[in-house]
Amino acid sequence: MKYKDEKYEKAEKGSLKVLPKTVLLILLCGLSFYLGGLYYGKNIVEVSNVAKTGSSLDVDNSLQVKSVSFSECSSDYQDYTPCTDPRKWKKYGTHRLTFMERHCPPVFDRKQCLVPPPNGYKPPIRWPKSKDECWYRNVPYDWINKQKSNQHWLKKEGEKFIFPGGGTMFPNGVSAYVDLMQDLIPEMKDGTIRTAIDTGCGVASWGGDLLDRGILTVSLAPRDNHEAQVQFALERGIPAILGIISTQRLPFPSNSFDMAHCSRCLIPWTEFGGVYLLEIHRILRPGGFWVLSGPPVNYENRWKGWDTTVEEQRSNYEKLQDLLTSMCFKLYAKKDDIAVWQKSPDNMCYNKLSNDPDAYPPKCDDSLEPDSAWYTPLRPCVVVPSPKLKKTDLESTPKWPERLHSTPERISDVPGGNGGLFKRDDSKWKTRAKHYKKLLPAVGSDKIRNVMDMNTAYGGLAAALVDDPLWVMNVVSSYAANTLPVVFDRGLIGTYHDWCEAFSTYPRTYDLLHVDGLFTSENQRCEMKYVMLEMDRILRPNGYAIIRESSYFADTIASVAKELRWSCRKEKTESESESEKLLICQKKLWLLENNVTTTTIDDINIDFYHEKLLRYVTEVDYDQSILVWHIATEMLHQTDIACSDYMMYLLIVQPSLMSTVAGIDKTQRLHVKKHEEQNENAREYSSKSVLFQACMLAKELKRIQEQ
């Protein structure tokens, strides 16, 4: 009994200690819930659930935000890049050019206006002609023309910029330069090398030439005194992104690119402990190539033109060679102004370095994630490829185009990722892309060249569109599962990004933006109006957006899009799911001249309905089509007449016309039986009665009227 009493007393004392902790825990939970509610309310901006009625595409519950409106930015914001804004450079340090890195404005300093195009803006010249010329008024920057015209980067002729394909290190033209490079690197010819990065790209002539050789290049340049290197590249239809190797990693995963290139890019490779070259090492695939032309390569013959001494350039070359050797690079080939080094394809070299305590640069420790690349500081250490990866090196990677649909080894690093999931995803996007082309015939035509998949998983859309005359920038959220290595392993390109911030590009640089559940996944972090403002900034006038979203968000997105001066229509998905909808949108071209805004008509609906209506002309007999259109337009104007009513009307009031219709039906059945092997589409439409076709056409015409 005494034992029980002592046990009770101890339990009672213990409960007294536990009680304050329990109360404290409840208070903390309550405070967390309260603060979370405040944060959610702040981000969504007066949101309410509303019951909606309307067309069959509407849903019972949807998100509704109070109406927003956007004014036009002033004309001096025509080339506005929010996170690399020269107006803000003085706020940041000049050491290692950190002022040129990303410095995004705080929420209270964000612009909430529409970025205007330059005066005289025209729809861009279409690919492939755009590779050689662009409209001057679309990229009205003379500095690069005046400074680099003697090197044949570009030249102004009348209303256009012409790109002759010259460069500082290729006076005979970029094609001759790449021909020599291919002689040094045979892997450029057989599909082994598929992805490349060009640091300090100029106007991206090197990347443009490689496109014709089946190599997809990311052209990288900062926003600097060249004014618009990246904008020139994208205006030409060549992949490019704003960026600089300074104090932070580039927004790419480790072991990504098959080749890296620097043509007199003026990056001090051996300074600051070699951190810039270490970053190239990180993003280069094992067995990949680094190509350098310009100082100090060929210093023996070039030093006089570099305003230096032969001894200084010899010293610089030896330092570079020693640094590359310490990173497990080997000199692969060298001729004239081009030198090529190859990154070690295996870990044997790194194992030797790790056994040397005095080795520099040292091996990175395990605390630094190799793929962490969003605002991650550069560190002076070697990122050693994971020994568990046996098929990521360049030699083991399937050649292009086989690698596009081969299951990448790094799929297993993605939570839940496996070969079966990859194959299903690949198949899913083939179906989706086919559906997109039906809804937006511009996809696959020369109207669309620069495409961004704003929140991809494995690059499925890019893979499905690979045979079309376009390229896709695959964006993986810095907060999502790390699937970008899989994208690169497939031979595609992409970047990390956080859509709560502005993207690293100029305004008006993409023809098509694709969204797949972005607002659903990021609505707790990113405010919708700012994401859509950013979409408007980077989308070209007359460009398109395909937005795949939950029905809960679709109507709200459409209302914000309207304030952006986009035209949108709601469509069903390929599976006709009620929980998910598609918005097919087009940004209108508007110009700001003398503070007066003018808007041009969009062609999104023209293209779509042209496709819909053309079959009622081309896939039926001529005399039959006259009757179909007559009946359809009559029904359209007499909106209270249904199909069955109109049939009765024909029988009573116009019996001769009804007999004619019947006669056509009798004749057409014989015609179909005779020619059904020849044209499947014609058989589908001809087999239906005139009245049925007229009813269908009337519905299409009514839909156009409503749109």
Side-chain angles (χ1 to χ4, degrees):
M1 188 69 181
K2 183 178 178 181
Y3 173 75
K4 290 183 179 179
D5 290 342
E6 286 179 351
K7 186 176 180 181
Y8 179 79
E9 281 184 19
K10 289 179 181 179
E12 188 175 31
K13 289 178 181 179
S15 66
L16 290 174
K17 291 179 181 179
V18 171
L19 184 61
K21 293 181 180 179
T22 305
V23 173
L24 181 61
L25 181 61
I26 293 172
L27 288 174
L28 287 174
C29 289
L31 180 62
S32 175
F33 182 82
Y34 174 71
L35 292 176
L38 287 178
Y39 176 78
Y40 180 80
K42 178 182 177 183
N43 273 310
I44 298 302
V45 189
E46 299 190 47
V47 175
S48 60
N49 287 324
V50 294
K52 294 186 67 70
T53 59
S55 70
S56 60
L57 290 176
D58 291 332
V59 292
D60 292 333
N61 294 306
S62 63
L63 181 74
Q64 188 163 10
V65 180
K66 282 195 172 182
S67 61
V68 294
S69 61
F70 305 104
S71 60
E72 301 91 355
C73 301
S74 59
S75 58
D76 58 337
Y77 279 88
Q78 66 184 31
D79 60 350
Y80 182 47
T81 53
C83 296
T84 51
D85 187 358
R87 300 172 182 86
K88 309 292 185 182
W89 280 355
K90 291 182 179 179
K91 296 173 58 177
Y92 308 104
T94 58
H95 177 65
R96 288 169 58 178
L97 303 179
T98 54
F99 64 93
M100 289 186 178
E101 293 185 306
R102 287 178 60 87
H103 302 284
C104 299
V107 176
F108 62 83
D109 197 27
R110 287 180 178 175
K111 293 293 176 186
Q112 299 189 45
C113 54
L114 305 178
V115 175
N119 287 336
Y121 181 89
K122 298 181 179 181
I125 295 171
R126 296 180 181 178
W127 183 267
K129 196 175 180 181
S130 64
K131 191 176 75 169
D132 300 319
E133 61 184 39
C134 73
W135 296 113
Y136 166 74
R137 295 306 311 171
N138 289 11
V139 197
Y141 304 111
D142 287 319
W143 187 95
I144 194 170
N145 177 45
K146 293 175 182 177
Q147 296 295 320
K148 298 294 183 179
S149 58
N150 63 322
Q151 297 172 6
H152 307 292
W153 284 30
L154 75 169
K155 59 181 178 179
K156 187 173 180 293
E157 291 185 359
E159 295 184 339
K160 295 178 179 178
F161 274 126
I162 307 299
F163 302 95
T168 308
M169 295 308 300
F170 31 95
N172 297 323
V174 66
S175 293
Y177 176 78
V178 177
D179 286 343
L180 174 58
M181 197 175 297
Q182 282 190 329
D183 291 340
L184 299 177
I185 313 172
E187 291 84 351
M188 294 177 65
K189 300 177 181 179
D190 64 359
T192 300
I193 293 177
R194 165 61 180 172
T195 59
I197 183 169
D198 188 11
T199 53
C201 65
V203 293
S205 293
W206 187 74
D209 186 86
L210 289 182
L211 286 172
D212 295 334
R213 304 173 194 246
I215 298 175
L216 195 56
T217 304
V218 176
S219 296
L220 179 81
R223 173 148 188 175
D224 63 359
N225 59 358
H226 285 177
E227 294 285 358
Q229 295 180 77
V230 166
Q231 192 169 15
F232 274 116
L234 290 164
E235 188 72 16
R236 298 176 68 184
I238 300 169
I241 190 171
L242 285 170
I244 183 173
I245 309 177
S246 177
T247 67
Q248 298 168 358
R249 285 179 169 180
L250 296 175
F252 311 113
S254 62
N255 311 317
S256 303
F257 293 96
D258 306 329
M259 180 167 62
H261 172 254
C262 163
S263 174
R264 196 162 184 169
C265 55
L266 304 181
I267 297 174
W269 296 112
T270 58
E271 294 183 20
F272 309 111
V275 290
Y276 303 145
L277 198 51
L278 283 164
E279 178 62 359
I280 294 297
H281 176 278
R282 183 185 71 86
I283 64 175
L284 201 59
R285 188 178 299 277
F289 299 93
W290 183 56
V291 182
L292 177 65
S293 65
V297 177
N298 198 18
Y299 68 87
E300 303 92 341
N301 301 310
R302 292 284 191 177
W303 67 271
K304 291 181 180 179
W306 295 340
D307 192 24
T308 183
T309 65
V310 65
E311 291 80 11
E312 181 180 0
Q313 288 303 309
R314 181 187 296 111
S315 175
N316 290 343
Y317 182 81
E318 290 173 353
K319 286 180 183 177
L320 179 64
Q321 180 62 58
D322 290 344
L323 184 61
L324 286 163
T325 301
S326 70
M327 297 179 190
C328 296
F329 278 100
K330 288 186 177 180
L331 184 63
Y332 185 80
K334 183 181 175 185
K335 186 176 182 181
D336 298 336
D337 294 323
I338 300 176
V340 182
W341 286 268
Q342 185 178 28
K343 180 178 174 179
S344 177
D346 55 49
N347 283 19
M348 292 179 60
C349 175
Y350 303 111
N351 294 335
K352 293 178 182 178
L353 291 177
S354 61
N355 295 327
D356 183 0
D358 298 324
Y360 185 87
K363 177 182 174 182
C364 291
D365 57 49
D366 296 335
S367 65
L368 188 62
E369 168 59 43
D371 292 344
S372 176
W374 188 245
Y375 294 119
T376 302
L378 292 178
R379 286 175 57 180
C381 58
V382 179
V383 175
V384 178
S386 173
K388 71 177 183 179
L389 297 176
K390 306 297 184 183
K391 300 179 181 179
T392 305
D393 63 281
L394 191 59
E395 186 178 355
S396 301
T397 301
K399 294 181 180 181
W400 182 262
E402 289 80 9
R403 69 189 282 184
L404 180 65
H405 300 294
S406 299
T407 303
E409 182 182 22
R410 288 192 279 185
I411 189 75
S412 60
D413 292 338
V414 179
N418 55 63
L421 177 66
F422 176 80
K423 294 297 183 184
R424 289 192 297 273
D425 184 82
D426 200 33
S427 177
K428 174 183 72 177
W429 281 105
K430 288 178 182 178
T431 303
R432 288 184 172 186
K434 185 177 181 180
H435 185 60
Y436 289 169
K437 288 182 177 181
K438 289 182 180 179
L439 299 178
L440 185 59
V443 178
S445 74
D446 61 0
K447 288 186 177 181
I448 292 177
R449 172 63 184 169
N450 303 350
V451 180
M452 180 185 291
D453 194 354
M454 292 177 61
N455 60 325
T456 190
Y458 304 121
L461 177 64
L465 299 177
V466 72
D467 293 326
D468 294 321
L470 54 81
W471 60 270
V472 180
M473 179 63 73
N474 294 282
V475 181
V476 171
S477 171
S478 58
Y479 284 82
N482 182 27
T483 60
L484 195 54
V486 175
V487 173
F488 275 97
D489 288 348
R490 301 185 71 177
L492 305 171
I493 57 173
T495 180
Y496 294 117
H497 184 64
D498 177 5
W499 283 111
C500 296
E501 299 178 0
F503 192 77
S504 296
T505 191
Y506 281 85
R508 304 173 302 280
T509 46
Y510 284 86
D511 301 301
L512 173 64
L513 301 178
H514 176 258
V515 172
D516 180 16
L518 175 66
F519 297 100
T520 300
S521 61
E522 299 283 19
N523 76 88
Q524 294 285 351
R525 296 194 318 107
C526 310
E527 195 169 341
M528 180 186 292
K529 70 175 180 180
Y530 287 119
V531 177
M532 295 197 66
L533 264 174
E534 177 61 7
M535 292 172 65
D536 182 80
R537 185 184 73 87
I538 65 181
L539 193 60
R540 284 173 168 171
N542 294 329
Y544 305 92
I546 299 177
I547 302 174
R548 176 185 288 267
E549 269 297 344
S550 66
S551 301
Y552 182 69
F553 286 98
D555 289 333
T556 304
I557 294 170
S559 67
V560 176
K562 184 177 180 181
E563 297 303 321
L564 294 172
R565 304 174 189 176
W566 297 6
S567 61
C568 295
R569 69 174 193 271
K570 194 188 293 186
E571 296 286 351
K572 292 183 178 181
T573 64
E574 62 287 338
S575 63
E576 299 191 354
S577 169
E578 287 300 320
S579 62
E580 190 178 48
K581 294 293 177 283
L582 288 171
L583 289 175
I584 310 296
C585 302
Q586 184 178 32
K587 175 181 175 178
K588 296 180 180 179
L589 170 60
W590 56 272
L591 300 173
L592 190 62
E593 297 181 4
N594 300 321
N595 296 320
V596 177
T597 304
T598 58
T599 306
T600 63
I601 190 168
D602 60 87
D603 64 359
I604 181 173
N605 292 326
I606 294 175
D607 283 345
F608 178 74
Y609 289 116
H610 177 271
E611 189 82 11
K612 287 280 188 179
L613 300 181
L614 190 62
R615 65 192 187 191
Y616 294 100
V617 176
T618 61
E619 297 177 7
V620 293
D621 293 335
Y622 174 73
D623 51 355
Q624 181 178 339
S625 70
I626 294 175
L627 281 175
V628 168
W629 280 87
H630 168 75
I631 297 172
T633 52
E634 183 70 19
M635 293 179 66
L636 185 67
H637 292 296
Q638 303 293 334
T639 55
D640 56 335
I641 299 180
C643 287
S644 58
D645 296 333
Y646 197 77
M647 181 179 288
M648 185 63 68
Y649 166 79
L650 289 175
L651 283 171
I652 298 172
V653 180
Q654 297 286 346
S656 59
L657 181 60
M658 192 62 188
S659 62
T660 304
V661 171
I664 290 176
D665 280 345
K666 186 176 181 180
T667 304
Q668 74 177 20
R669 281 193 291 272
L670 296 174
H671 177 77
V672 169
K673 186 175 181 180
K674 182 178 180 181
H675 298 285
E676 63 181 358
E677 298 294 330
Q678 298 177 5
N679 191 323
E680 184 177 347
N681 289 330
R683 183 171 72 250
E684 178 184 348
Y685 289 103
S686 298
S687 63
K688 294 177 172 58
S689 71
V690 171
L691 190 59
F692 177 82
Q693 292 181 51
C695 291
M696 297 298 293
L697 176 57
K699 289 181 179 179
E700 295 287 2
L701 294 172
K702 185 176 181 181
R703 189 177 182 188
I704 294 175
Q705 192 176 52
E706 291 171 350
Q707 289 281 350

